[in-house]
Amino acid sequence: MPELPEVETVRKGLISLVKGKTIAKVDVYWPRIIEFPEIEIFQQQLIGETIETVDRRGKYLIFHFTHYEMVSHLRMEGKYEYFDQPRPLDKHSHVRFIFTDGTELIYHDVRKFGRMALLKKGMAKEYKGLLQLGPEPIDEDFDLLNFKQQLKKSSTMIKPLLLNQKIVAGLGNIYVDEVLWLAKIHPEQPADTLSAQTVRRLRVAIIEVIAKAKEAGGTTIRTYLNALGEAGHFQQELHVYGQTGIPCSRCGTPIIKIKVAQRGTHLCPHCQKLKKV
Ligand SMILES: [Zn+2]
């Protein structure tokens, strides 16, 4: 599943390949991918629109067209593929954007969970998923005091709380495990039991892990190749995710895997002890 660093890699790829291109035609083969408006309107409104740029918020891509903005979420396995010339589609190709120069951008999604929504220019920020999103995990946006207050309000276990995107955007299962290992926090620790010092350490760990993963182009695990054919290489820097049985790089204790809120969770049982408060 693409997380923030992988989506950032997709965004950069899209900018290099389709920025400035104008849409001649849009084909939709799996209607549910288009959240709104209705398919015919979606197709019609995009004709003649030029891609001015592509932004990202959390795990959402935002295409800026001449008169519209398109919010696109890849969910589990969505990806964009770019082709210089038309070529046969496969059964997982669900949306095809054909540009006036004959090139194409195909949205491919094996699981079909991805979604696109087209809004008037300037309205993407009002899209429900974006309204609920916490700050970007970067120093300038991610305020310590606000983070502290949010955690104090919740007795939820820290891992699922960080996964819900409302307190901070962009963390998925891979990076949340890495972040909690780096900050030495047990994934089941209730948020409101974290000390001020631990919260400070957690914020720094979130910023650091995401920045490093972005720089590495994300993590390539199993079937998920970054869209546009690029593979990231952060998997070489993982300390706990997928490392079950391997000695912790900090203390040598074998990494274990448990379930936390139905998600496979990796941790070092020595570095990340559940603290009774
Ligand atoms: Zn350890």
Side-chain angles (χ1 to χ4, degrees):
M1 177 170 182
E3 300 184 29
L4 190 157
E6 292 75 41
V7 178
E8 179 63 15
T9 303
V10 173
R11 186 188 76 83
K12 287 184 186 152
L14 287 168
I15 294 238
S16 70
L17 293 168
V18 300
K19 186 176 167 176
K21 295 201 182 230
T22 301
I23 294 179
K25 186 170 183 279
V26 182
D27 293 324
V28 178
Y29 304 101
W30 188 260
R32 289 232 318 267
I33 302 284
I34 312 302
E35 192 179 347
F36 59 78
E38 284 175 39
I39 309 295
E40 296 73 27
I41 298 172
F42 179 85
Q43 291 170 304
Q44 210 156 47
Q45 288 182 330
L46 280 174
I47 292 173
E49 289 287 306
T50 300
I51 299 179
E52 294 180 338
T53 192
V54 184
D55 274 346
R56 180 195 53 73
R57 259 294 273 140
K59 302 183 220 173
Y60 291 90
L61 289 165
I62 304 161
F63 289 73
H64 292 266
F65 294 103
T66 322
H67 305 94
Y68 297 94
E69 291 172 354
M70 184 177 82
V71 179
S72 165
H73 199 298
L74 306 171
R75 300 290 287 278
M76 301 296 281
E77 291 192 35
K79 58 179 131 182
Y80 284 99
E81 295 175 324
Y82 173 81
F83 300 108
D84 274 334
Q85 49 197 13
R87 58 180 240 173
L89 301 173
D90 69 37
K91 62 174 180 173
H92 303 301
S93 303
H94 305 309
V95 184
R96 171 157 72 162
F97 302 90
I98 303 168
F99 299 110
T100 51
D101 63 359
T103 61
E104 300 187 348
L105 185 68
I106 312 267
Y107 179 72
H108 185 276
D109 192 339
V110 174
R111 307 282 293 271
K112 300 191 184 113
F113 289 140
R115 291 293 176 266
M116 294 174 195
L118 191 65
L119 301 103
K120 288 240 165 68
K121 203 171 186 70
M123 294 307 285
K125 58 183 189 300
E126 304 294 325
Y127 178 77
K128 191 168 160 249
L130 291 177
L131 276 178
Q132 296 171 343
L133 215 54
E136 287 288 305
I138 51 174
D139 194 40
E140 308 87 279
D141 289 3
F142 188 17
D143 182 64
L144 176 63
L145 189 65
N146 185 48
F147 185 44
K148 245 187 230 169
Q149 288 166 346
Q150 300 277 345
L151 295 181
K152 269 286 165 249
K153 278 194 279 184
S154 175
S155 56
T156 307
M157 295 182 288
I158 189 68
K159 176 167 176 176
L161 194 65
L162 291 176
L163 284 178
N164 86 10
Q165 313 297 309
K166 288 178 185 161
I167 293 185
V168 59
L171 292 171
N173 209 38
I174 299 174
Y175 300 113
V176 84
D177 282 3
E178 292 299 313
V179 159
L180 293 174
W181 174 83
L182 186 60
K184 300 185 183 175
I185 299 169
H186 193 285
E188 292 177 325
Q189 193 72 41
D192 57 358
T193 64
L194 297 172
S195 69
Q197 194 194 352
T198 307
V199 173
R200 206 173 308 130
R201 205 166 63 223
L202 174 57
R203 177 181 168 275
V204 170
I206 290 169
I207 293 170
E208 205 177 297
V209 167
I210 293 292
K212 274 192 184 162
K214 263 192 204 167
E215 210 180 291
T219 306
T220 307
I221 284 171
R222 278 179 283 146
T223 62
Y224 193 78
L225 255 190
N226 279 318
L228 310 170
E230 274 182 42
H233 51 269
F234 193 71
Q235 60 273 21
Q236 291 150 15
E237 294 175 48
L238 295 174
H239 292 279
V240 281
Y241 187 85
Q243 310 296 306
T244 313
I246 290 169
C248 168
S249 62
R250 210 160 32 202
C251 74
T253 307
I255 300 300
I256 59 165
K257 187 177 180 183
I258 62 169
K259 282 247 167 175
V260 177
Q262 282 97 54
R263 305 295 299 269
T265 297
H266 309 77
L267 68 134
C268 168
H270 176 75
C271 294
Q272 297 167 265
K273 289 209 167 80
L274 191 59
K275 293 199 172 71
K276 296 271 174 262
V277 182

PDB file of all heavy atoms in Angstrom, residues 181 247-253 255 268-272, ligand 1:
ATOM      1  N   TRP A 181       9.444   2.359  16.602  1.00  0.00           N
ATOM      2  CA  TRP A 181      10.721   1.730  16.990  1.00  0.00           C
ATOM      3  C   TRP A 181      11.763   2.815  17.274  1.00  0.00           C
ATOM      4  O   TRP A 181      12.438   2.796  18.299  1.00  0.00           O
ATOM      5  CB  TRP A 181      11.222   0.788  15.879  1.00  0.00           C
ATOM      6  CG  TRP A 181      12.586   0.231  16.178  1.00  0.00           C
ATOM      7  CD1 TRP A 181      12.875  -0.852  16.959  1.00  0.00           C
ATOM      8  CD2 TRP A 181      13.843   0.760  15.749  1.00  0.00           C
ATOM      9  NE1 TRP A 181      14.237  -1.032  17.034  1.00  0.00           N
ATOM     10  CE2 TRP A 181      14.860  -0.055  16.300  1.00  0.00           C
ATOM     11  CE3 TRP A 181      14.221   1.844  14.944  1.00  0.00           C
ATOM     12  CZ2 TRP A 181      16.225   0.172  16.074  1.00  0.00           C
ATOM     13  CZ3 TRP A 181      15.574   2.089  14.724  1.00  0.00           C
ATOM     14  CH2 TRP A 181      16.563   1.257  15.286  1.00  0.00           C
ATOM     15  N   PRO A 247      17.783  -9.627  14.506  1.00  0.00           N
ATOM     16  CA  PRO A 247      18.159  -8.865  15.701  1.00  0.00           C
ATOM     17  C   PRO A 247      17.934  -7.358  15.531  1.00  0.00           C
ATOM     18  O   PRO A 247      18.241  -6.807  14.474  1.00  0.00           O
ATOM     19  CB  PRO A 247      19.661  -9.149  15.864  1.00  0.00           C
ATOM     20  CG  PRO A 247      19.933 -10.365  15.044  1.00  0.00           C
ATOM     21  CD  PRO A 247      18.911 -10.386  13.948  1.00  0.00           C
ATOM     22  N   CYS A 248      17.373  -6.738  16.584  1.00  0.00           N
ATOM     23  CA  CYS A 248      17.176  -5.292  16.606  1.00  0.00           C
ATOM     24  C   CYS A 248      18.536  -4.621  16.382  1.00  0.00           C
ATOM     25  O   CYS A 248      19.523  -4.992  17.024  1.00  0.00           O
ATOM     26  CB  CYS A 248      16.598  -4.890  17.960  1.00  0.00           C
ATOM     27  SG  CYS A 248      16.599  -3.121  18.305  1.00  0.00           S
ATOM     28  N   SER A 249      18.588  -3.628  15.500  1.00  0.00           N
ATOM     29  CA  SER A 249      19.878  -3.000  15.187  1.00  0.00           C
ATOM     30  C   SER A 249      20.395  -2.158  16.353  1.00  0.00           C
ATOM     31  O   SER A 249      21.539  -1.737  16.363  1.00  0.00           O
ATOM     32  CB  SER A 249      19.762  -2.167  13.920  1.00  0.00           C
ATOM     33  OG  SER A 249      18.836  -1.132  14.122  1.00  0.00           O
ATOM     34  N   ARG A 250      19.541  -1.932  17.371  1.00  0.00           N
ATOM     35  CA  ARG A 250      19.958  -1.125  18.521  1.00  0.00           C
ATOM     36  C   ARG A 250      20.425  -2.008  19.680  1.00  0.00           C
ATOM     37  O   ARG A 250      21.403  -1.709  20.340  1.00  0.00           O
ATOM     38  CB  ARG A 250      18.776  -0.262  18.970  1.00  0.00           C
ATOM     39  CG  ARG A 250      19.147   1.039  19.596  1.00  0.00           C
ATOM     40  CD  ARG A 250      17.987   2.049  19.566  1.00  0.00           C
ATOM     41  NE  ARG A 250      16.681   1.418  19.660  1.00  0.00           N
ATOM     42  CZ  ARG A 250      15.560   2.009  19.235  1.00  0.00           C
ATOM     43  NH1 ARG A 250      15.574   3.212  18.710  1.00  0.00           N
ATOM     44  NH2 ARG A 250      14.414   1.378  19.339  1.00  0.00           N
ATOM     45  N   CYS A 251      19.698  -3.137  19.932  1.00  0.00           N
ATOM     46  CA  CYS A 251      20.005  -3.929  21.135  1.00  0.00           C
ATOM     47  C   CYS A 251      20.227  -5.423  20.871  1.00  0.00           C
ATOM     48  O   CYS A 251      20.608  -6.156  21.773  1.00  0.00           O
ATOM     49  CB  CYS A 251      18.878  -3.754  22.155  1.00  0.00           C
ATOM     50  SG  CYS A 251      17.381  -4.660  21.707  1.00  0.00           S
ATOM     51  N   GLY A 252      19.965  -5.883  19.666  1.00  0.00           N
ATOM     52  CA  GLY A 252      20.209  -7.291  19.342  1.00  0.00           C
ATOM     53  C   GLY A 252      19.077  -8.259  19.646  1.00  0.00           C
ATOM     54  O   GLY A 252      19.123  -9.420  19.257  1.00  0.00           O
ATOM     55  N   THR A 253      18.033  -7.796  20.334  1.00  0.00           N
ATOM     56  CA  THR A 253      16.874  -8.656  20.630  1.00  0.00           C
ATOM     57  C   THR A 253      16.115  -8.926  19.318  1.00  0.00           C
ATOM     58  O   THR A 253      15.899  -7.993  18.547  1.00  0.00           O
ATOM     59  CB  THR A 253      15.923  -7.936  21.618  1.00  0.00           C
ATOM     60  OG1 THR A 253      16.680  -7.510  22.748  1.00  0.00           O
ATOM     61  CG2 THR A 253      14.782  -8.837  22.070  1.00  0.00           C
ATOM     62  N   ILE A 255      13.401  -9.094  16.555  1.00  0.00           N
ATOM     63  CA  ILE A 255      12.168  -8.338  16.293  1.00  0.00           C
ATOM     64  C   ILE A 255      10.999  -9.324  16.293  1.00  0.00           C
ATOM     65  O   ILE A 255      11.116 -10.432  15.765  1.00  0.00           O
ATOM     66  CB  ILE A 255      12.253  -7.629  14.917  1.00  0.00           C
ATOM     67  CG1 ILE A 255      13.440  -6.645  14.870  1.00  0.00           C
ATOM     68  CG2 ILE A 255      10.930  -6.942  14.545  1.00  0.00           C
ATOM     69  CD1 ILE A 255      13.395  -5.544  15.904  1.00  0.00           C
ATOM     70  N   CYS A 268      10.500  -4.188  18.645  1.00  0.00           N
ATOM     71  CA  CYS A 268      11.555  -4.797  19.453  1.00  0.00           C
ATOM     72  C   CYS A 268      11.015  -4.880  20.878  1.00  0.00           C
ATOM     73  O   CYS A 268      10.737  -3.848  21.500  1.00  0.00           O
ATOM     74  CB  CYS A 268      12.821  -3.947  19.419  1.00  0.00           C
ATOM     75  SG  CYS A 268      14.000  -4.501  20.671  1.00  0.00           S
ATOM     76  N   PRO A 269      10.860  -6.107  21.411  1.00  0.00           N
ATOM     77  CA  PRO A 269      10.260  -6.251  22.747  1.00  0.00           C
ATOM     78  C   PRO A 269      11.131  -5.667  23.863  1.00  0.00           C
ATOM     79  O   PRO A 269      10.635  -5.407  24.956  1.00  0.00           O
ATOM     80  CB  PRO A 269      10.104  -7.763  22.914  1.00  0.00           C
ATOM     81  CG  PRO A 269      11.036  -8.382  21.929  1.00  0.00           C
ATOM     82  CD  PRO A 269      11.201  -7.399  20.805  1.00  0.00           C
ATOM     83  N   HIS A 270      12.401  -5.425  23.573  1.00  0.00           N
ATOM     84  CA  HIS A 270      13.280  -4.842  24.593  1.00  0.00           C
ATOM     85  C   HIS A 270      13.244  -3.306  24.533  1.00  0.00           C
ATOM     86  O   HIS A 270      13.082  -2.640  25.553  1.00  0.00           O
ATOM     87  CB  HIS A 270      14.720  -5.339  24.413  1.00  0.00           C
ATOM     88  CG  HIS A 270      15.678  -4.705  25.374  1.00  0.00           C
ATOM     89  ND1 HIS A 270      15.737  -5.057  26.704  1.00  0.00           N
ATOM     90  CD2 HIS A 270      16.586  -3.709  25.203  1.00  0.00           C
ATOM     91  CE1 HIS A 270      16.643  -4.316  27.303  1.00  0.00           C
ATOM     92  NE2 HIS A 270      17.175  -3.486  26.428  1.00  0.00           N
ATOM     93  N   CYS A 271      13.357  -2.744  23.349  1.00  0.00           N
ATOM     94  CA  CYS A 271      13.394  -1.276  23.197  1.00  0.00           C
ATOM     95  C   CYS A 271      12.015  -0.642  23.369  1.00  0.00           C
ATOM     96  O   CYS A 271      11.899   0.539  23.683  1.00  0.00           O
ATOM     97  CB  CYS A 271      13.915  -0.887  21.817  1.00  0.00           C
ATOM     98  SG  CYS A 271      15.622  -1.312  21.518  1.00  0.00           S
ATOM     99  N   GLN A 272      10.954  -1.405  23.058  1.00  0.00           N
ATOM    100  CA  GLN A 272       9.605  -0.847  23.046  1.00  0.00           C
ATOM    101  C   GLN A 272       8.716  -1.558  24.082  1.00  0.00           C
ATOM    102  O   GLN A 272       7.896  -2.390  23.724  1.00  0.00           O
ATOM    103  CB  GLN A 272       8.980  -0.969  21.656  1.00  0.00           C
ATOM    104  CG  GLN A 272       9.708  -0.181  20.591  1.00  0.00           C
ATOM    105  CD  GLN A 272       9.273  -0.564  19.193  1.00  0.00           C
ATOM    106  OE1 GLN A 272       9.892  -1.395  18.547  1.00  0.00           O
ATOM    107  NE2 GLN A 272       8.183   0.005  18.726  1.00  0.00           N
TER     108      GLN A 272
HETATM  109 ZN    ZN B   1      15.868  -3.262  20.502  1.00  0.00          ZN
END
